[in-house]
Amino acid sequence: MRKMILPPPPLFSALQQPAQHLLPYKTRKKGGGGRESARSSRRPQYCRDPAVHNALYTGDLQKIKSIFKDETTANLIIDSLAEELVWSAELGLWVLAPQKTHTSPLRITVSRGYRDCVKHLLLQGADVDAIVGGKAALHDSCANHRAECTRLLLNYSANPNILSEEGLAPLHLCTTQESLPCAQMLLEYGALVNQNTRDRRASPLHVAAKHGLDDHVKLYLCYGANIGHRNREGETALNSACASADKPEEAGRYYRVVKRLLESGADAQIAGRKNHTPLHNACSNCHIRIVELLLQHGADVNVSNCAGYTPVDCALHAVEDYLEGEPEKLIATLLNHGAAPINPKMLKFCVLSPRTMEVILNTYDRILSCDSWVEFVPSEVWQEHHVFYDSALCLLNQPRALQHLARCAIRKQLGIRCHQGIAQLELPSSLQEYLSLSLEGYLK
């Protein structure tokens, strides 16, 4: 069944009863901070009392002190009922179904940043590393960037490398800029900077790169993060950063992450899932600044992924999604770095961007056919840019201007060195721009 989780309803029915099934508990040796591997002989208690729940969720310290007075109460399992929307195949509609959730007093207070309440629970013997509801308290403090609670838990000997039931360490849950102090503390207390998630084998560096967290990336590299580590899909942190930079408003921070990784020795040519290189990913996101960085660090502009697509092909497929991102500049950059001539059949992907089409058509010494794209141009786009489209049709099977033919000859001679060679030619800047496929709004 497909599930849609709703916020839990108000807590209900004051009831405290013994558990029907034992939960594994790890206990702490008093004084030495060591851990026993054997399960405690005590049976965990489940609590559904609304007064207890409300005291924890609101951080009512006085009530918490009156309720949690010993180790048994400090380690209660908070049992609540949340309603989820579940698709019923039998009824053919979404229905609300009650679902039990478990957590602990320590997890609740930590996630909300109630430091004094957390300290009281720990003093009463709350198991700092207890996994309840799939996570330990340290997971919640990092996920919710509660730095003071993180430090308190670590001071009480919380395991900085403890894994959740999903196989995530606390460091893997530092996914926002606000979580940087938590990440710093975890490392200071012995967190493994190269610890991988259980399923995807992603390192903290992968996580930071995926979320565009430059300060985290810098921190992890300072602690010896393996920049070349590849996750289960074969992707490095650089792959993750380039693949995730898909929102123009976040372009700046991903650029900084990629720049730091490349300057620290990341390989720009390592391919990950589906043989996508970082350049494939950056082109798919129409991120020209990252593309330029990758090309400067040796990315192969003509490598193909498992589907046979080059970075240019990926960029062309993304044109319609990033019309405001000046895709024509990205295509020109790739062509100036030696991208192979673009198959005319690919022109249909950029009919909504006549500027991109102009760049491509100006790499041809003649226009043999428009059949591959002309029928895809919407009438309103044609009307708005009729000067360009009409000029393209007028040149069909006609010789191009001598100046254009000279441009084609020079570019062919320079090959993959166009971006460097053009700048070294003793020509006026206007001619250098012309050789670099500058735009005029029409073809000649």
Side-chain angles (χ1 to χ4, degrees), residues 245-257 287 289-290:
D246 57 349
K247 297 178 181 178
E249 63 271 19
E250 299 177 348
R253 58 195 186 96
Y254 280 99
Y255 173 82
R256 292 189 292 273
V257 168
H287 202 313
R289 295 182 67 202
I290 290 181

Side-chain angles (χ1 to χ4, degrees), residues 60-69 116 120 124:
D60 190 330
L61 182 58
Q62 295 308 313
K63 286 186 178 180
I64 287 175
K65 286 183 176 180
S66 68
I67 296 170
F68 300 96
K69 298 180 178 180
D116 291 339
H120 172 76
Q124 299 309 308

Side-chain angles (χ1 to χ4, degrees), residues 21 25 42 116 135 199 208 225 248 257 288 303 314 384:
H21 302 283
Y25 264 78
R42 71 169 182 268
D116 291 339
K135 295 179 181 177
D199 294 333
V257 168
I288 185 170
V303 65
C314 291
E384 182 181 354

